[in-house]
Coordinates of all heavy atoms in Angstrom, one line a residue:
M989 N -53.3 16.6 -47.3 CA -52.0 17.1 -47.3 C -51.7 17.7 -48.6 O -52.0 17.1 -49.7 CB -51.0 16.0 -46.9 CG -50.1 16.4 -45.8 SD -48.9 15.2 -45.4 CE -49.7 14.3 -44.2
D990 N -51.1 18.9 -48.7 CA -50.8 19.5 -50.0 C -49.4 19.1 -50.5 O -48.7 18.3 -49.8 CB -50.9 21.0 -49.9 CG -49.8 21.7 -49.0 OD1 -49.1 20.9 -48.3 OD2 -49.7 22.9 -49.1
E991 N -49.1 19.5 -51.7 CA -47.9 19.1 -52.3 C -46.6 19.5 -51.6 O -45.6 18.8 -51.6 CB -47.9 19.5 -53.8 CG -47.8 21.0 -54.0 CD -49.2 21.7 -54.0 OE1 -50.2 21.0 -53.9 OE2 -49.2 22.9 -54.0
F992 N -46.6 20.7 -51.0 CA -45.4 21.1 -50.2 C -45.2 20.2 -49.0 O -44.0 19.9 -48.7 CB -45.5 22.5 -49.8 CG -45.2 23.5 -50.9 CD1 -46.2 24.3 -51.5 CD2 -43.9 23.6 -51.3 CE1 -45.9 25.2 -52.5 CE2 -43.6 24.5 -52.4 CZ -44.6 25.3 -52.9
M993 N -46.2 19.8 -48.3 CA -46.1 18.9 -47.2 C -45.6 17.5 -47.6 O -44.7 17.0 -47.0 CB -47.3 18.8 -46.4 CG -47.6 19.9 -45.5 SD -46.2 20.4 -44.4 CE -46.1 18.9 -43.4
M994 N -46.1 17.0 -48.7 CA -45.6 15.7 -49.2 C -44.2 15.8 -49.6 O -43.4 14.9 -49.4 CB -46.5 15.2 -50.3 CG -47.9 14.7 -49.8 SD -47.8 13.5 -48.5 CE -47.0 12.2 -49.3
G995 N -43.9 16.9 -50.3 CA -42.5 17.1 -50.7 C -41.5 17.3 -49.5 O -40.4 16.8 -49.6
L996 N -42.0 18.0 -48.5 CA -41.2 18.1 -47.3 C -41.0 16.8 -46.6 O -39.9 16.5 -46.2 CB -42.0 19.0 -46.3 CG -41.4 19.3 -45.0 CD1 -40.0 20.0 -45.1 CD2 -42.3 20.2 -44.1
I997 N -42.0 15.9 -46.6 CA -41.8 14.6 -46.0 C -40.8 13.8 -46.8 O -40.0 13.1 -46.3 CB -43.2 13.9 -45.8 CG1 -44.0 14.6 -44.8 CG2 -43.0 12.4 -45.4 CD1 -45.4 14.2 -44.7
Y998 N -40.9 13.9 -48.1 CA -40.0 13.1 -49.0 C -38.6 13.6 -48.8 O -37.6 12.8 -48.7 CB -40.4 13.2 -50.5 CG -41.6 12.5 -50.8 CD1 -42.6 13.0 -51.7 CD2 -41.9 11.2 -50.3 CE1 -43.7 12.3 -52.0 CE2 -43.1 10.5 -50.6 CZ -44.0 11.1 -51.5 OH -45.1 10.4 -51.8
L999 N -38.4 14.9 -48.7 CA -37.1 15.5 -48.5 C -36.5 15.1 -47.2 O -35.3 14.7 -47.1 CB -37.1 17.0 -48.6 CG -37.1 17.6 -50.0 CD1 -37.1 19.2 -49.9 CD2 -35.9 17.2 -50.8
E1000 N -37.3 15.1 -46.2 CA -36.9 14.6 -44.8 C -36.5 13.1 -44.9 O -35.6 12.7 -44.2 CB -37.9 14.9 -43.8 CG -37.9 16.4 -43.4 CD -38.9 16.7 -42.3 OE1 -39.9 16.0 -42.1 OE2 -38.6 17.7 -41.6
G1001 N -37.3 12.3 -45.6 CA -36.9 10.9 -45.8 C -35.6 10.7 -46.5 O -34.8 9.9 -46.1
I1002 N -35.3 11.5 -47.5 CA -34.0 11.5 -48.2 C -32.9 11.9 -47.2 O -31.8 11.3 -47.1 CB -34.0 12.4 -49.4 CG1 -34.9 11.8 -50.5 CG2 -32.6 12.6 -50.0 CD1 -35.2 12.7 -51.6
N1003 N -33.2 13.0 -46.4 CA -32.2 13.4 -45.4 C -32.0 12.4 -44.3 O -30.8 12.2 -43.8 CB -32.6 14.7 -44.8 CG -32.5 15.9 -45.7 OD1 -31.9 15.8 -46.7 ND2 -33.2 17.0 -45.4
L1004 N -33.0 11.6 -44.0 CA -32.9 10.5 -43.0 C -31.9 9.5 -43.6 O -31.1 9.0 -42.9 CB -34.3 10.0 -42.7 CG -34.3 8.9 -41.7 CD1 -34.0 9.5 -40.3 CD2 -35.8 8.3 -41.6
L1005 N -32.1 9.1 -44.8 CA -31.2 8.1 -45.5 C -29.8 8.6 -45.6 O -28.8 7.8 -45.3 CB -31.8 7.7 -46.8 CG -33.1 7.0 -46.9 CD1 -33.6 6.8 -48.3 CD2 -33.0 5.7 -46.1
L1006 N -29.6 9.9 -45.9 CA -28.3 10.4 -46.0 C -27.6 10.5 -44.7 O -26.4 10.2 -44.6 CB -28.3 11.8 -46.7 CG -28.6 11.9 -48.2 CD1 -28.9 13.3 -48.6 CD2 -27.5 11.2 -49.0
S1007 N -28.3 10.9 -43.6 CA -27.7 10.9 -42.3 C -27.4 9.5 -41.8 O -26.4 9.3 -41.1 CB -28.6 11.7 -41.3 OG -29.9 11.1 -41.2
A1008 N -28.2 8.5 -42.2 CA -27.9 7.1 -41.8 C -26.7 6.7 -42.5 O -25.8 6.0 -41.9 CB -29.1 6.2 -42.1
A1009 N -26.5 7.0 -43.7 CA -25.3 6.7 -44.5 C -24.0 7.3 -43.8 O -23.0 6.7 -43.6 CB -25.4 7.1 -45.9
L1010 N -24.2 8.6 -43.4 CA -23.1 9.3 -42.7 C -22.8 8.6 -41.4 O -21.6 8.5 -41.1 CB -23.4 10.8 -42.5 CG -23.3 11.7 -43.7 CD1 -23.8 13.1 -43.3 CD2 -21.8 11.8 -44.1
L1011 N -23.8 8.3 -40.7 CA -23.6 7.6 -39.4 C -22.8 6.3 -39.6 O -21.9 6.0 -38.9 CB -24.9 7.3 -38.7 CG -24.9 6.7 -37.4 CD1 -24.1 7.5 -36.4 CD2 -26.3 6.4 -36.9
W1012 N -23.2 5.6 -40.6 CA -22.5 4.3 -40.9 C -21.0 4.5 -41.2 O -20.1 3.9 -40.7 CB -23.2 3.5 -42.0 CG -22.6 2.2 -42.2 CD1 -22.9 1.0 -41.5 CD2 -21.7 1.8 -43.2 NE1 -22.2 0.0 -42.0 CE2 -21.4 0.4 -43.0 CE3 -21.1 2.5 -44.2 CZ2 -20.6 -0.3 -43.8 CZ3 -20.2 1.8 -45.0 CH2 -19.9 0.4 -44.8
V1013 N -20.8 5.5 -42.2 CA -19.4 5.8 -42.6 C -18.6 6.3 -41.4 O -17.4 5.8 -41.2 CB -19.4 6.8 -43.7 CG1 -18.0 7.3 -44.0 CG2 -20.0 6.2 -45.0
F1014 N -19.1 7.2 -40.6 CA -18.3 7.8 -39.5 C -18.1 6.7 -38.4 O -17.1 6.7 -37.8 CB -19.0 9.0 -39.0 CG -19.0 10.2 -39.9 CD1 -20.0 11.1 -39.8 CD2 -18.0 10.4 -40.8 CE1 -20.0 12.2 -40.7 CE2 -18.0 11.4 -41.7 CZ -19.0 12.4 -41.6
A1015 N -19.1 5.8 -38.2 CA -18.9 4.8 -37.2 C -17.8 3.8 -37.7 O -17.0 3.3 -36.8 CB -20.2 4.0 -37.0
Q1016 N -17.8 3.5 -39.0 CA -16.7 2.6 -39.5 C -15.4 3.2 -39.3 O -14.4 2.6 -38.9 CB -17.0 2.2 -40.9 CG -18.3 1.4 -41.2 CD -18.2 0.1 -40.5 OE1 -17.2 -0.6 -40.4 NE2 -19.4 -0.3 -39.9
N1017 N -15.3 4.5 -39.6 CA -14.0 5.2 -39.5 C -13.6 5.3 -38.0 O -12.4 5.1 -37.7 CB -14.1 6.6 -40.1 CG -14.2 6.6 -41.6 OD1 -13.8 5.6 -42.2 ND2 -14.6 7.7 -42.1
Y1018 N -14.5 5.5 -37.1 CA -14.2 5.6 -35.7 C -13.7 4.2 -35.2 O -12.8 4.2 -34.4 CB -15.3 6.1 -34.9 CG -15.0 6.1 -33.4 CD1 -14.1 7.1 -32.9 CD2 -15.5 5.2 -32.5 CE1 -13.8 7.1 -31.6 CE2 -15.2 5.2 -31.2 CZ -14.3 6.2 -30.7 OH -14.0 6.2 -29.4
R1019 N -14.3 3.2 -35.7 CA -13.9 1.8 -35.2 C -12.5 1.6 -35.6 O -11.7 0.9 -34.8 CB -14.8 0.8 -35.9 CG -15.3 -0.2 -34.9 CD -16.3 -1.1 -35.5 NE -16.2 -1.3 -36.9 CZ -16.6 -2.4 -37.6 NH1 -17.1 -3.4 -36.9 NH2 -16.4 -2.5 -38.9
V1020 N -12.0 2.1 -36.7 CA -10.6 1.8 -37.1 C -9.7 2.8 -36.5 O -8.6 2.4 -36.0 CB -10.6 1.9 -38.7 CG1 -9.1 1.9 -39.2 CG2 -11.4 0.8 -39.3
L1021 N -10.0 4.1 -36.5 CA -9.1 5.2 -36.1 C -9.1 5.5 -34.6 O -8.1 5.9 -34.1 CB -9.3 6.4 -36.9 CG -9.2 6.3 -38.4 CD1 -9.7 7.5 -39.1 CD2 -7.8 5.9 -38.8
K1022 N -10.3 5.4 -34.0 CA -10.4 5.7 -32.5 C -9.9 7.1 -32.2 O -9.1 7.3 -31.2 CB -9.6 4.7 -31.7 CG -10.1 3.2 -31.9 CD -11.3 2.9 -31.1 CE -11.5 1.4 -31.1 NZ -12.8 1.0 -31.3
T1023 N -10.4 8.1 -32.9 CA -10.0 9.5 -32.6 C -11.1 10.3 -32.0 O -12.3 9.9 -32.2 CB -9.5 10.2 -33.9 OG1 -10.6 10.3 -34.8 CG2 -8.3 9.5 -34.5
T1024 N -10.8 11.3 -31.3 CA -11.8 12.2 -30.7 C -12.7 12.9 -31.7 O -13.9 12.9 -31.6 CB -11.2 13.2 -29.7 OG1 -10.4 12.4 -28.7 CG2 -12.2 14.0 -29.0
P1025 N -12.1 13.4 -32.8 CA -12.9 14.0 -33.8 C -13.8 13.0 -34.5 O -14.9 13.3 -34.9 CB -11.9 14.6 -34.8 CG -10.7 14.9 -34.0 CD -10.6 13.8 -33.0
G1026 N -13.3 11.8 -34.6 CA -14.2 10.7 -35.2 C -15.4 10.4 -34.3 O -16.5 10.2 -34.9
M1027 N -15.2 10.4 -33.0 CA -16.3 10.2 -32.1 C -17.3 11.4 -32.2 O -18.5 11.2 -32.2 CB -15.9 10.1 -30.7 CG -17.0 10.0 -29.7 SD -18.2 8.7 -30.0 CE -17.4 7.3 -29.4
G1028 N -16.8 12.6 -32.4 CA -17.6 13.8 -32.6 C -18.5 13.7 -33.8 O -19.6 14.1 -33.8
L1029 N -17.9 13.2 -34.9 CA -18.6 13.0 -36.2 C -19.7 11.9 -36.0 O -20.8 12.1 -36.5 CB -17.7 12.6 -37.3 CG -16.8 13.7 -37.8 CD1 -15.7 13.2 -38.8 CD2 -17.6 14.8 -38.4
V1030 N -19.4 10.9 -35.3 CA -20.4 9.8 -35.0 C -21.6 10.4 -34.2 O -22.8 10.2 -34.5 CB -19.8 8.6 -34.3 CG1 -20.9 7.7 -33.8 CG2 -18.8 7.9 -35.2
L1031 N -21.3 11.2 -33.2 CA -22.3 11.8 -32.3 C -23.1 12.8 -33.1 O -24.4 12.9 -33.0 CB -21.7 12.4 -31.1 CG -21.2 11.4 -30.1 CD1 -20.5 12.2 -28.9 CD2 -22.2 10.5 -29.6
F1032 N -22.4 13.6 -34.0 CA -23.1 14.6 -34.8 C -24.1 13.9 -35.8 O -25.2 14.3 -35.9 CB -22.1 15.4 -35.6 CG -22.7 16.3 -36.6 CD1 -23.3 17.5 -36.3 CD2 -22.7 15.9 -38.0 CE1 -23.9 18.3 -37.2 CE2 -23.2 16.7 -38.9 CZ -23.8 17.9 -38.6
S1033 N -23.6 12.9 -36.4 CA -24.5 12.2 -37.4 C -25.6 11.5 -36.7 O -26.7 11.4 -37.2 CB -23.7 11.3 -38.3 OG -23.0 10.4 -37.6
A1034 N -25.4 11.0 -35.5 CA -26.5 10.3 -34.7 C -27.6 11.3 -34.4 O -28.8 11.1 -34.5 CB -25.9 9.7 -33.5
V1035 N -27.2 12.5 -33.9 CA -28.1 13.6 -33.5 C -28.9 14.0 -34.8 O -30.1 14.2 -34.8 CB -27.4 14.7 -32.8 CG1 -28.4 15.9 -32.7 CG2 -26.9 14.3 -31.5
L1036 N -28.2 14.2 -35.9 CA -28.8 14.6 -37.1 C -29.8 13.5 -37.6 O -30.9 13.8 -38.1 CB -27.8 14.8 -38.2 CG -28.2 15.5 -39.5 CD1 -28.7 16.9 -39.2 CD2 -27.0 15.6 -40.4
F1037 N -29.5 12.2 -37.4 CA -30.4 11.2 -37.8 C -31.7 11.2 -36.9 O -32.8 11.1 -37.4 CB -29.7 9.8 -37.6 CG -30.6 8.6 -37.9 CD1 -30.8 8.2 -39.2 CD2 -31.2 7.9 -36.9 CE1 -31.6 7.2 -39.5 CE2 -32.0 6.8 -37.2 CZ -32.2 6.5 -38.5
I1038 N -31.5 11.4 -35.6 CA -32.6 11.5 -34.7 C -33.5 12.7 -35.1 O -34.7 12.6 -35.1 CB -32.2 11.6 -33.3 CG1 -31.5 10.2 -32.9 CG2 -33.3 11.9 -32.3 CD1 -30.8 10.2 -31.6
Q1039 N -32.9 13.8 -35.4 CA -33.6 15.0 -35.8 C -34.4 14.8 -37.0 O -35.6 15.2 -37.1 CB -32.6 16.2 -36.0 CG -33.3 17.5 -36.4 CD -33.2 17.8 -37.8 OE1 -32.3 17.4 -38.5 NE2 -34.2 18.5 -38.3
N1040 N -33.9 14.1 -38.0 CA -34.6 13.9 -39.2 C -35.7 12.8 -39.0 O -36.8 12.9 -39.6 CB -33.7 13.4 -40.3 CG -32.9 14.6 -40.9 OD1 -33.5 15.6 -41.3 ND2 -31.6 14.4 -41.0
L1041 N -35.5 11.9 -38.1 CA -36.5 10.9 -37.8 C -37.7 11.5 -37.1 O -38.8 11.3 -37.5 CB -35.9 9.8 -36.9 CG -36.7 8.6 -36.6 CD1 -37.0 7.8 -37.8 CD2 -36.0 7.7 -35.6
I1042 N -37.4 12.4 -36.2 CA -38.5 13.1 -35.5 C -39.2 14.0 -36.5 O -40.5 14.1 -36.5 CB -37.9 13.9 -34.3 CG1 -37.5 13.0 -33.2 CG2 -39.0 14.9 -33.8 CD1 -36.7 13.6 -32.1
G1043 N -38.5 14.7 -37.4 CA -39.1 15.6 -38.4 C -40.0 14.8 -39.3 O -41.1 15.3 -39.6
V1044 N -39.6 13.6 -39.8 CA -40.5 12.8 -40.6 C -41.8 12.5 -39.9 O -42.9 12.6 -40.4 CB -39.8 11.6 -41.2 CG1 -40.8 10.6 -41.8 CG2 -38.7 11.9 -42.1
Y1045 N -41.6 12.0 -38.7 CA -42.8 11.6 -37.9 C -43.7 12.8 -37.6 O -44.9 12.7 -37.8 CB -42.3 11.0 -36.5 CG -43.5 10.8 -35.6 CD1 -44.3 9.7 -35.8 CD2 -43.7 11.6 -34.5 CE1 -45.4 9.5 -34.9 CE2 -44.8 11.4 -33.7 CZ -45.6 10.3 -33.9 OH -46.7 10.1 -33.0
L1046 N -43.2 13.9 -37.2 CA -44.0 15.1 -36.9 C -44.7 15.6 -38.1 O -45.9 16.0 -38.1 CB -43.2 16.1 -36.2 CG -42.8 15.8 -34.7 CD1 -42.0 17.0 -34.2 CD2 -44.0 15.6 -33.9
H1047 N -44.0 15.8 -39.2 CA -44.6 16.3 -40.4 C -45.6 15.4 -41.0 O -46.6 15.8 -41.6 CB -43.6 16.7 -41.4 CG -42.8 17.9 -41.0 ND1 -41.5 18.0 -41.0 CD2 -43.2 19.2 -40.7 CE1 -41.1 19.2 -40.6 NE2 -42.2 19.9 -40.4
Y1048 N -45.4 14.1 -40.8 CA -46.4 13.1 -41.4 C -47.7 13.1 -40.5 O -48.8 13.0 -41.1 CB -45.8 11.7 -41.4 CG -46.7 10.7 -42.0 CD1 -46.9 10.7 -43.4 CD2 -47.4 9.8 -41.2 CE1 -47.8 9.8 -44.0 CE2 -48.2 8.9 -41.8 CZ -48.4 8.8 -43.2 OH -49.3 7.9 -43.7
T1049 N -47.5 13.2 -39.2 CA -48.7 13.1 -38.3 C -49.4 14.4 -38.2 O -50.6 14.5 -37.9 CB -48.3 12.6 -36.9 OG1 -47.3 13.4 -36.4 CG2 -47.8 11.1 -37.0
T1050 N -48.7 15.6 -38.3 CA -49.3 16.9 -38.1 C -49.3 17.7 -39.3 O -49.5 19.0 -39.3 CB -48.6 17.6 -36.9 OG1 -47.3 17.9 -37.3 CG2 -48.7 16.9 -35.7
G1051 N -49.2 17.1 -40.5 CA -49.1 17.9 -41.7 C -50.3 18.8 -42.1 O -50.1 19.8 -42.6
E1052 N -51.4 18.3 -41.7 CA -52.6 19.1 -42.1 C -52.8 20.4 -41.2 O -53.6 21.2 -41.5 CB -53.9 18.2 -41.9 CG -54.2 17.7 -40.5 CD -53.6 16.4 -40.2 OE1 -52.8 15.9 -41.0 OE2 -53.8 15.9 -39.1
F1053 N -52.0 20.5 -40.2 CA -52.1 21.7 -39.3 C -51.1 22.8 -39.7 O -51.1 23.8 -39.2 CB -51.8 21.3 -37.8 CG -52.8 20.3 -37.3 CD1 -52.4 19.1 -36.9 CD2 -54.2 20.6 -37.3 CE1 -53.3 18.1 -36.4 CE2 -55.1 19.7 -36.8 CZ -54.7 18.5 -36.4
Y1054 N -50.2 22.5 -40.7 CA -49.2 23.4 -41.2 C -49.9 24.5 -42.1 O -50.7 24.1 -43.0 CB -48.1 22.7 -41.9 CG -46.9 22.5 -41.1 CD1 -47.0 21.7 -40.0 CD2 -45.6 23.0 -41.5 CE1 -45.8 21.4 -39.2 CE2 -44.5 22.7 -40.8 CZ -44.6 21.9 -39.6 OH -43.5 21.7 -38.9
A1055 N -49.5 25.7 -41.9 CA -49.9 26.7 -42.9 C -49.1 26.6 -44.1 O -47.9 26.1 -44.1 CB -49.6 28.1 -42.3
K1056 N -49.6 26.9 -45.3 CA -48.9 26.7 -46.5 C -47.6 27.5 -46.6 O -46.6 27.0 -47.1 CB -49.8 27.1 -47.7 CG -49.2 26.8 -49.0 CD -50.3 26.8 -50.1 CE -49.6 26.5 -51.5 NZ -49.5 25.2 -51.8
M1057 N -47.6 28.7 -46.1 CA -46.4 29.5 -46.1 C -45.3 28.9 -45.2 O -44.2 28.9 -45.6 CB -46.7 30.9 -45.6 CG -45.5 31.8 -45.6 SD -45.9 33.5 -45.2 CE -45.9 34.2 -46.8
L1058 N -45.7 28.3 -44.1 CA -44.7 27.6 -43.3 C -44.2 26.4 -44.0 O -43.0 26.1 -43.9 CB -45.3 27.3 -41.9 CG -44.4 26.6 -40.9 CD1 -43.2 27.4 -40.6 CD2 -45.2 26.2 -39.7
A1059 N -45.0 25.7 -44.7 CA -44.6 24.5 -45.4 C -43.6 24.8 -46.5 O -42.6 24.1 -46.7 CB -45.8 23.7 -45.9
T1060 N -43.8 25.9 -47.2 CA -42.9 26.3 -48.3 C -41.5 26.7 -47.7 O -40.5 26.4 -48.3 CB -43.5 27.5 -49.1 OG1 -43.7 28.6 -48.3 CG2 -44.7 27.0 -49.8
H1061 N -41.5 27.4 -46.6 CA -40.2 27.7 -45.9 C -39.5 26.5 -45.4 O -38.3 26.4 -45.6 CB -40.5 28.7 -44.8 CG -40.8 30.1 -45.2 ND1 -41.4 30.4 -46.4 CD2 -40.7 31.3 -44.6 CE1 -41.6 31.7 -46.5 NE2 -41.2 32.2 -45.4
A1062 N -40.2 25.6 -44.8 CA -39.6 24.4 -44.3 C -39.1 23.5 -45.5 O -38.1 22.9 -45.4 CB -40.6 23.6 -43.5
F1063 N -39.8 23.5 -46.6 CA -39.4 22.8 -47.8 C -38.1 23.3 -48.3 O -37.2 22.6 -48.6 CB -40.5 22.9 -48.9 CG -40.1 22.1 -50.1 CD1 -40.5 20.8 -50.2 CD2 -39.5 22.8 -51.2 CE1 -40.1 20.1 -51.3 CE2 -39.2 22.1 -52.3 CZ -39.5 20.7 -52.4
G1064 N -37.9 24.7 -48.3 CA -36.7 25.3 -48.7 C -35.5 24.9 -47.8 O -34.4 24.6 -48.3
L1065 N -35.8 25.0 -46.5 CA -34.7 24.6 -45.6 C -34.3 23.2 -45.7 O -33.1 22.8 -45.6 CB -35.2 24.9 -44.1 CG -35.3 26.4 -43.8 CD1 -35.9 26.6 -42.4 CD2 -33.9 27.1 -43.9
E1066 N -35.3 22.3 -45.9 CA -35.0 20.9 -46.0 C -34.2 20.6 -47.3 O -33.3 19.7 -47.4 CB -36.2 20.0 -46.0 CG -36.9 19.9 -44.6 CD -36.0 19.2 -43.6 OE1 -35.3 18.2 -44.0 OE2 -36.0 19.6 -42.5
A1067 N -34.5 21.4 -48.4 CA -33.8 21.2 -49.6 C -32.3 21.6 -49.5 O -31.4 20.9 -50.0 CB -34.5 22.0 -50.7
V1068 N -32.1 22.7 -48.8 CA -30.7 23.1 -48.5 C -30.0 22.1 -47.7 O -28.8 21.8 -47.9 CB -30.7 24.5 -47.8 CG1 -29.3 24.9 -47.4 CG2 -31.2 25.6 -48.8
E1069 N -30.7 21.6 -46.6 CA -30.1 20.5 -45.8 C -29.8 19.3 -46.6 O -28.7 18.6 -46.5 CB -31.0 20.1 -44.7 CG -30.4 19.1 -43.7 CD -31.4 18.7 -42.6 OE1 -32.4 19.4 -42.4 OE2 -31.1 17.6 -42.0
M1070 N -30.6 18.9 -47.6 CA -30.4 17.8 -48.4 C -29.2 18.0 -49.3 O -28.3 17.0 -49.4 CB -31.6 17.5 -49.3 CG -31.4 16.2 -50.1 SD -32.6 16.0 -51.4 CE -32.1 17.3 -52.5
I1071 N -29.0 19.1 -49.8 CA -27.8 19.4 -50.7 C -26.5 19.3 -49.8 O -25.6 18.7 -50.2 CB -27.9 20.8 -51.3 CG1 -29.0 20.8 -52.4 CG2 -26.6 21.2 -52.0 CD1 -29.4 22.1 -52.9
A1072 N -26.6 19.9 -48.6 CA -25.4 19.8 -47.7 C -25.1 18.4 -47.3 O -23.9 18.0 -47.3 CB -25.6 20.7 -46.5
L1073 N -26.1 17.6 -47.0 CA -25.9 16.2 -46.6 C -25.4 15.4 -47.8 O -24.6 14.5 -47.6 CB -27.2 15.6 -46.0 CG -27.5 16.0 -44.6 CD1 -28.9 15.5 -44.2 CD2 -26.5 15.4 -43.7
A1074 N -25.9 15.7 -49.0 CA -25.5 14.9 -50.2 C -24.0 15.2 -50.4 O -23.2 14.3 -50.7 CB -26.3 15.3 -51.4
V1075 N -23.6 16.5 -50.3 CA -22.1 16.8 -50.5 C -21.3 16.1 -49.5 O -20.2 15.5 -49.8 CB -21.9 18.3 -50.5 CG1 -20.5 18.7 -50.4 CG2 -22.6 18.9 -51.7
L1076 N -21.7 16.2 -48.2 CA -20.9 15.6 -47.1 C -20.9 14.1 -47.3 O -19.9 13.4 -47.1 CB -21.5 16.0 -45.8 CG -20.8 15.5 -44.5 CD1 -19.4 16.1 -44.5 CD2 -21.5 16.0 -43.3
T1077 N -22.0 13.4 -47.6 CA -22.1 12.0 -47.8 C -21.2 11.6 -48.9 O -20.5 10.6 -48.8 CB -23.5 11.5 -48.0 OG1 -24.3 12.0 -46.9 CG2 -23.6 10.0 -48.1
Y1078 N -21.2 12.3 -50.0 CA -20.4 12.0 -51.2 C -18.9 12.0 -50.8 O -18.1 11.1 -51.1 CB -20.7 12.9 -52.4 CG -19.8 12.7 -53.5 CD1 -19.9 11.6 -54.4 CD2 -18.7 13.6 -53.8 CE1 -19.1 11.4 -55.4 CE2 -17.8 13.4 -54.8 CZ -18.0 12.3 -55.7 OH -17.2 12.1 -56.7
S1079 N -18.5 13.1 -50.1 CA -17.1 13.3 -49.8 C -16.7 12.2 -48.7 O -15.5 11.8 -48.7 CB -16.8 14.7 -49.3 OG -17.5 14.9 -48.1
A1080 N -17.6 11.9 -47.8 CA -17.2 10.9 -46.8 C -17.2 9.5 -47.4 O -16.4 8.6 -47.0 CB -18.2 10.9 -45.6
W1081 N -18.0 9.2 -48.3 CA -18.1 7.9 -48.9 C -17.1 7.6 -49.9 O -16.7 6.5 -50.2 CB -19.5 7.7 -49.6 CG -19.9 6.3 -49.7 CD1 -19.5 5.4 -50.6 CD2 -20.8 5.6 -48.8 NE1 -20.1 4.2 -50.5 CE2 -20.9 4.3 -49.4 CE3 -21.6 5.9 -47.7 CZ2 -21.7 3.3 -48.8 CZ3 -22.4 4.9 -47.2 CH2 -22.5 3.7 -47.7
K1082 N -16.5 8.7 -50.5 CA -15.6 8.6 -51.6 C -14.3 7.8 -51.2 O -13.7 7.2 -52.1 CB -15.2 10.0 -52.0 CG -14.6 10.1 -53.4 CD -14.4 11.5 -53.7 CE -13.5 11.6 -55.0 NZ -13.3 13.0 -55.3
D1083 N -13.9 7.9 -50.0 CA -12.7 7.2 -49.5 C -12.7 5.7 -49.8 O -12.9 4.8 -49.8 CB -12.5 7.3 -48.0 CG -11.5 8.4 -47.8 OD1 -10.8 8.9 -48.7 OD2 -11.5 8.9 -46.6

């Protein structure tokens, strides 16, 4: 596996942890507030968690089949997702 694939797997792992933190925060808020938008945030973060879990698994098991150009593009997209999740997690956790 090359450095972009390992970096991609690490970024997806970080995104997995951030989406798990969001899921926990949104679930705690929903338990207290019981609002429809709160349920939507719980479902959104659960789907995002599942997507990142599948991504880590697939990239780890099929990493050697990725073209280097595809890995660099996927790395960039995961980096942008990580920044977005970090901002959202920070703002949600700040309360």
Side-chain angles (χ1 to χ4, degrees):
M989 232 181 268
D990 68 348
E991 64 275 355
F992 279 109
M993 280 309 296
M994 288 307 297
L996 179 61
I997 292 169
Y998 290 141
L999 280 179
E1000 284 183 333
I1002 293 169
N1003 289 345
L1004 185 67
L1005 293 175
L1006 289 171
S1007 60
L1010 280 176
L1011 180 60
W1012 186 81
V1013 168
F1014 291 151
Q1016 295 300 320
N1017 288 344
Y1018 179 72
R1019 228 173 26 151
V1020 172
L1021 301 174
K1022 301 278 193 227
T1023 63
T1024 303
M1027 175 54 80
L1029 289 171
V1030 170
L1031 292 175
F1032 170 78
S1033 57
V1035 169
L1036 193 59
F1037 178 81
I1038 292 168
Q1039 181 260 331
N1040 283 309
L1041 187 64
I1042 291 170
V1044 168
Y1045 172 75
L1046 288 178
H1047 286 127
Y1048 184 75
T1049 58
T1050 63
E1052 64 270 5
F1053 301 117
Y1054 261 59
K1056 185 165 180 83
M1057 181 172 259
L1058 181 61
T1060 57
H1061 288 23
F1063 183 85
L1065 290 173
E1066 287 296 324
V1068 170
E1069 181 182 344
M1070 184 193 69
I1071 292 168
L1073 282 172
V1075 168
L1076 185 59
T1077 303
Y1078 175 75
S1079 66
W1081 203 281
K1082 195 174 171 183
D1083 261 346

